[in-house]
Amino acid sequence: MPDNPYSVRRSRRWRTLAVPTLLLTLAVTGCGTEPPAGTEAPDPTGTPLTVPSVAPDPALQAKALVATLKDEDLVGQVLMPYAYGASATDVSGGSKAGNQGLADVDTPAQMVEKYRLGGLILVGFSADDPTGKNQPTTNVDNPAQVRALTDGLQAAQAKLPAGAAPMLIGTDQEYGIVTRIRTGVNMLPAAMAFGAAGDTGATERAWSVAGGELAAMGINTDFAPVADVLGGPGGLVIGSRSYGDDPKAVSEQVSAAVRGLRTGGVAAALKHFPGHGHTTGDSHDLLPVLSQDRKALDAGDLPPFQAGIDAGAQMVMSGHLDVRAIEPGVPASFSRKVLVDLLRTEMGFQGVVVSDALNMEPAMAWPAGEAAVRALNAGNDLLLMPPDLPAAHAGLLKALRDGSLTRERLVEAVTRVITLRLTLAKSATPPVTEVGARTGVEPLANLAARSITMLKGTCDGAAMPGPVTVTTVDGRAESKKTLEEALRAAGVQVAASGGKTTVHLVGYGDGAADLSAGATVTVAMDLPYLLASAGSPVLMATYSSSPAQLTALANVLAGKAKPQGSSPVAVDGLPRTVC
């Protein structure tokens, strides 16, 4: 894979950009005297020469297009809000009211057209999602609905002056506990399960499946993978969204995920720069502090971001994090020292820097218009989820005209964004019928089988005595049902209560009070740290509650498979595996 984040395979389909002929000709050739590509040109010897066809350069195309845009269009290109409604043009009364409150429009399509948007993020509220605090709506349901929505958004954007470059449509499809689209797709496990399997080839194949499915739904940007390295049990905020606590292993996994997404035709966004794994606070609610010195930051937090950049990541998300070693008291998302001096100059990133959501608490220290200007001046190229879209657009426009935001900085950001959009447009969009295809099942099943970890017990592949009773705390009925069905499919008798073997499931956010003292087996479906407090004779981890993970767990409990994983994080008093 080329290192250049904007390079793509030459076999991909090129998309023609309709910009004024003179601008495009000057941008690509530097003069107007060369014959058109693919035609015969005169030769002094009298022998006709054929001018080779040259694929258009997205950066040159972007530069030419940006030169034609008015101020209002330039400002719109750096904004990526969310919207209410499962359709671009046909929304419910409640969604209409939500869009009116957010942007003074009725529909997502009207939002795109009014504010000349360069991007839009699809959101999906879920009560058990730790990132759901700033996402008050849901506009994703199933693949066909999402594809119809994204087609409608692109149709609205195509009418705009920058419409020759398809807009960025993104979502947070990390898998695990942060998964926006859950119906009809091949569900990858959480990042930590990939870390437990330790197979970067499997990671790349799985993320290629995911990328292809996202592309088929019309989503060209995934705010994943998480490149944060956990710093021990204090890293509960990021949890199983991280690949683990070893910078080298995390770097390898992040690189594989980036390559997989790019193969699927989707831009990966590394997050949360420069690293959220050593914090104890949640940046949705407050400004977490990174207290480590620069040497520790370089050794423990930055390597996965550098690896992801080197693997071709086209986006990096700036985190709302107080990086004491670089600019104390200033969120990294608003710090030129972090985003320009560190990320661009020292680490060599040339792609699009996108802010973490501006409707999160640290970014709301300023009014929406001022926050947008500050974030852009700090080095972000794309501003995610402003809490007041009209104020953000107006604030940027005013700053451009009074000089507090230079035209050079705005044009630089817009050119990067449109270059990415044109690059992504080269990838053909698969039919939505490919989403959820059986082609994704085998790689996920193999990955799951390699990730199940035994931290206490005997690793001999013996079946647990039946019948088996599965217990959980409230809120995990779906996981309980999935495991019970998988156990039956594996030939295990399941009893509603009183089984010889009791398997107790715990997951994200559970604590010691959620453990079961009499359980034969305790299974951690998220971080395994809680297993240190469990008294069961058998302790296992799946790191995720995806169907593939729970099916693999059932096969181990049935004695049909051995647990092959190794915990990607250290758990007090327990080995990373007994196998």
Side-chain angles (χ1 to χ4, degrees):
M1 184 65 65
D3 288 339
N4 182 348
Y6 293 132
S7 61
V8 294
R9 299 177 189 270
R10 290 192 177 275
S11 61
R12 291 179 177 173
R13 177 174 57 85
W14 298 102
R15 175 171 173 149
T16 302
L17 172 62
V19 298
T21 303
L22 177 60
L23 281 170
L24 184 57
T25 301
L26 292 176
V28 176
T29 68
C31 65
T33 59
E34 296 184 16
T39 63
E40 291 187 349
D43 179 82
T45 66
T47 303
L49 295 177
T50 299
V51 178
S53 297
V54 178
D57 183 324
L60 293 176
Q61 288 181 287
K63 183 177 180 181
L65 179 54
V66 170
T68 71
L69 299 181
K70 296 179 180 179
D71 291 354
E72 292 82 359
D73 295 290
L74 290 172
V75 165
Q77 300 309 297
V78 300
L79 295 170
M80 194 175 194
Y82 67 97
Y84 291 80
S87 164
T89 56
D90 184 12
V91 300
S92 67
S95 292
K96 185 182 295 185
N99 288 324
Q100 281 290 337
L102 180 64
D104 297 329
V105 297
D106 289 341
T107 69
Q110 290 172 1
M111 188 183 298
V112 171
E113 293 167 0
K114 181 174 181 177
Y115 297 99
R116 324 285 180 92
L117 296 179
L120 192 132
I121 181 172
L122 307 185
V123 297
F125 175 77
S126 176
D128 59 353
D129 185 332
T131 67
K133 301 173 185 177
N134 66 324
Q135 303 192 46
T137 186
T138 297
N139 50 20
V140 295
D141 183 20
N142 60 72
Q145 171 267 319
V146 173
R147 177 61 182 270
L149 170 60
T150 57
D151 283 349
L153 293 171
Q154 293 292 7
Q157 199 272 341
K159 302 173 185 176
L160 302 176
M167 71 187 299
L168 296 177
I169 300 179
T171 196
D172 292 291
Q173 193 79 347
E174 296 177 16
Y175 298 95
I177 57 174
V178 179
T179 306
R180 301 291 181 241
I181 307 164
R182 296 175 177 270
T183 302
V185 300
N186 279 294
M187 285 289 291
L188 275 60
M192 191 159 285
F194 288 98
D199 183 341
T200 56
T203 301
E204 184 170 344
R205 289 190 294 274
W207 278 101
S208 177
V209 170
E213 293 193 340
L214 289 169
M217 291 184 283
I219 295 170
N220 55 22
T221 303
D222 192 6
F223 294 109
V226 171
D228 304 325
V229 179
L230 292 190
L236 295 175
V237 173
I238 297 300
S240 61
R241 300 166 67 191
S242 167
Y243 289 97
D245 61 11
D246 175 52
K248 183 177 184 296
V250 173
S251 296
E252 293 170 351
Q253 292 291 329
V254 166
S255 297
V258 168
R259 292 193 299 269
L261 280 169
R262 289 196 64 190
T263 299
V266 172
L270 308 174
K271 64 187 188 186
H272 309 79
F273 187 79
H276 205 326
H278 286 78
T279 64
T280 56
D282 187 342
S283 57
H284 286 83
D285 305 317
L286 47 79
L287 181 62
V289 173
L290 292 178
S291 59
Q292 57 266 53
D293 61 23
R294 180 57 198 271
K295 184 177 180 181
L297 191 72
D298 289 348
D301 294 272
L302 296 182
F305 289 96
Q306 187 67 68
I309 291 168
D310 293 343
Q314 293 157 301
M315 302 181 77
V316 171
M317 177 182 285
S318 60
H320 300 314
L321 306 164
D322 181 356
V323 188
R324 293 294 171 89
I326 298 178
E327 190 168 9
V330 179
S333 47
F334 291 86
S335 170
R336 282 188 64 84
K337 291 183 179 179
V338 173
L339 301 184
V340 178
D341 296 349
L342 173 58
L343 179 57
R344 294 220 182 269
T345 303
E346 292 188 38
M347 299 178 69
F349 181 61
Q350 299 298 313
V352 172
V353 177
V354 56
S355 72
D356 206 344
L358 295 182
N359 64 348
M360 292 165 64
E361 197 63 32
M364 294 180 70
W366 306 277
E370 182 180 351
V373 174
R374 284 176 175 266
L376 201 65
N377 278 331
N380 294 284
D381 303 305
L382 192 61
L383 309 180
L384 193 62
M385 300 176 72
D388 185 335
L389 182 58
H393 192 277
L396 289 169
L397 197 58
K398 178 180 180 295
L400 178 64
R401 291 171 176 169
D402 69 20
S404 54
L405 170 64
T406 66
R407 185 169 299 277
E408 179 183 23
R409 168 79 272 262
L410 180 60
V411 166
E412 176 186 53
V414 174
T415 303
R416 287 194 184 113
V417 170
I418 293 182
T419 298
L420 175 57
R421 287 160 52 185
L422 291 168
T423 300
L424 294 172
K426 296 173 184 177
S427 298
T429 302
V432 72
T433 52
E434 291 189 9
V435 181
R438 297 289 300 174
T439 53
V441 174
E442 185 176 351
L444 294 180
N446 292 339
L447 172 72
R450 298 192 63 173
S451 67
I452 306 302
T453 306
M454 179 86 75
L455 291 88
K456 182 181 178 182
T458 58
C459 188
D460 57 5
M464 294 291 169
V468 172
T469 295
V470 181
T471 61
T472 64
V473 296
D474 290 342
R476 307 208 183 281
E478 189 64 31
S479 297
K480 179 177 184 292
K481 178 183 177 182
T482 300
L483 179 58
E484 288 174 339
E485 291 176 349
L487 284 168
R488 292 189 184 100
V492 176
Q493 183 182 357
V494 176
S497 61
K500 290 184 178 180
T501 296
T502 300
V503 178
H504 187 68
L505 305 177
V506 291
Y508 181 84
D510 288 346
D514 299 303
L515 295 169
S516 174
T520 314
V521 183
T522 297
V523 180
M525 299 186 296
D526 191 69
L527 284 171
Y529 294 133
L530 185 57
L531 296 179
S533 302
S536 300
V538 178
L539 301 176
M540 300 178 67
T542 66
Y543 314 99
S544 181
S545 59
S546 73
Q549 294 299 112
L550 294 178
T551 297
L553 171 64
N555 288 332
V556 171
L557 295 173
K560 293 187 173 183
K562 291 186 178 182
Q564 303 174 52
S566 177
S567 176
V569 294
V571 180
D572 286 347
L574 295 172
R576 295 199 181 226
T577 178
V578 296
C579 298

